[in-house]
Amino acid sequence: MAVYTLPELPYDYAALEPHISAKIMELHHSKHHKAYVDGANTALEKMAEAREKGDFGTIGKLEKDLAFNLGGHLNHSVFWKNMAPDAGGEPEGDIADAIADSFGSFEAFKKQFDGVATSIQGSGWAVLAHDSVSGRLVTFQMYDQQNSVPVGTLPLLQLDMWEHAFYLDYLNVKADYVKAWWNLVNWQNVNSRLSSLKGVEIV
Ligand code: MN
């Protein structure tokens, strides 16, 4: 029995057009996201085999495989819920207050996030997260599916900046993809994520 499973999207593949095409959504969910789910399950299965054999010669590689693939599974699961048709605009409620407190204003946050997203070197994600140490919000660039993540942060809003996320629609023009994506941000989802994460105390 698989530990990780591919979640259903909360909308149709074509629901995010014209900002993200149905073709990208179908490939991205049914092929890319599925590969991460399968990869994470495979890593766990191989770790179980290693324990049965008492042979941990490959454990270092398996840990890297788990980190990469579980990252891919979590990141995409959050990303799908972070978007909705006919969304975008400015946040309201607690998330709006937290953004203003942490970044000065929504406009300042948006410019910072644009900069974070468009300056990623190679494959990665732009992330708005709750920092469980300070209780504030932070942005960061996550490389690949798991690298350069400040420890103790939990994701609120994630934007996939891997080329597979935009190349069919926007070719190399990352800024146009990011600009279109703002029209899809489901602030209600980001707000409810903040509600459930902000009580988490790590230190
Ligand atoms: Mn992706």
Side-chain angles (χ1 to χ4, degrees), residues 24-117:
I24 280 189
M25 290 301 297
E26 181 175 4
L27 282 166
H28 203 170
H29 176 257
S30 70
K31 305 292 185 189
H32 290 277
H33 189 167
K34 183 173 187 301
Y36 298 120
V37 171
D38 293 346
N41 285 322
T42 298
L44 288 188
E45 287 160 14
K46 288 189 173 175
M47 285 179 187
E49 287 174 21
R51 287 192 298 276
E52 282 168 21
K53 292 177 185 168
D55 177 359
F56 294 95
T58 59
I59 193 68
K61 180 187 183 300
L62 295 179
E63 294 287 11
K64 287 190 174 71
D65 289 349
L66 180 64
F68 176 76
N69 286 289
L70 184 51
H73 176 34
L74 181 149
N75 293 332
H76 290 90
S77 298
V78 173
F79 181 52
W80 308 136
K81 289 182 176 177
N82 279 163
M83 298 187 289
D86 305 318
E90 295 203 13
E92 295 175 358
D94 287 350
I95 185 66
D97 295 341
I99 285 172
D101 287 347
S102 299
F103 302 101
S105 68
F106 176 68
E107 273 311 304
F109 156 71
K110 194 163 175 279
K111 282 183 187 166
Q112 179 169 325
F113 197 89
D114 282 342
V116 168

Side-chain angles (χ1 to χ4, degrees), residues 28 76 125 160 164:
H28 203 170
H76 290 90
W125 295 75
D160 193 340
H164 67 228

